[in-house]
Amino acid sequence: MSKNKWVRSISFNRTNPDDIKRLNFIGKKSFSRIVKKLIDEEIKRKSSITINSQSVVPNNSIGKPQQKQQVVPQPYNPMLRGN
């Protein structure tokens, strides 16, 4: 395996009805492709929410509204660290 790859595992419980539904839905499809597609959709959904919901906070010293700056924390992912 390439050193550029990072594998994350996921577990399913064969006795959990919800996990059984998930496993039946996935079948023999490429699990990695499904998960990556869902992650991409979630990223797009969250970025559209962040862009459309800008907060405005009044500035008491001048009396004019000032936009609140949103700080997005970087997720912990060792694969995205610099060399």
Side-chain angles (χ1 to χ4, degrees):
M1 183 186 322
S2 168
K3 66 180 180 179
N4 292 329
K5 291 188 179 186
W6 185 40
V7 178
R8 301 291 290 190
S9 64
I10 183 170
S11 62
F12 294 95
N13 184 331
R14 294 181 188 174
T15 60
N16 181 319
D18 292 330
D19 281 351
I20 292 170
K21 289 178 190 175
R22 292 178 186 116
L23 290 168
N24 287 332
F25 177 78
I26 293 168
K28 295 190 182 247
K29 298 175 191 170
S30 170
F31 184 73
S32 177
R33 187 179 307 151
I34 292 171
V35 172
K36 288 178 182 179
K37 180 182 174 194
L38 291 171
I39 292 170
D40 290 342
E41 289 172 359
E42 184 70 9
I43 290 170
K44 286 179 188 176
R45 186 184 71 79
K46 285 196 175 196
S47 67
S48 69
I49 290 172
T50 304
I51 292 169
N52 294 331
S53 63
Q54 293 181 357
S55 303
V56 176
V57 178
N59 184 345
N60 292 334
S61 61
I62 301 174
K64 295 181 181 179
Q66 180 183 11
Q67 285 191 351
K68 183 178 178 182
Q69 202 171 23
Q70 293 181 348
V71 178
V72 179
Q74 293 294 327
Y76 173 74
N77 186 334
M79 285 298 290
L80 299 178
R81 288 187 197 164
N83 293 339

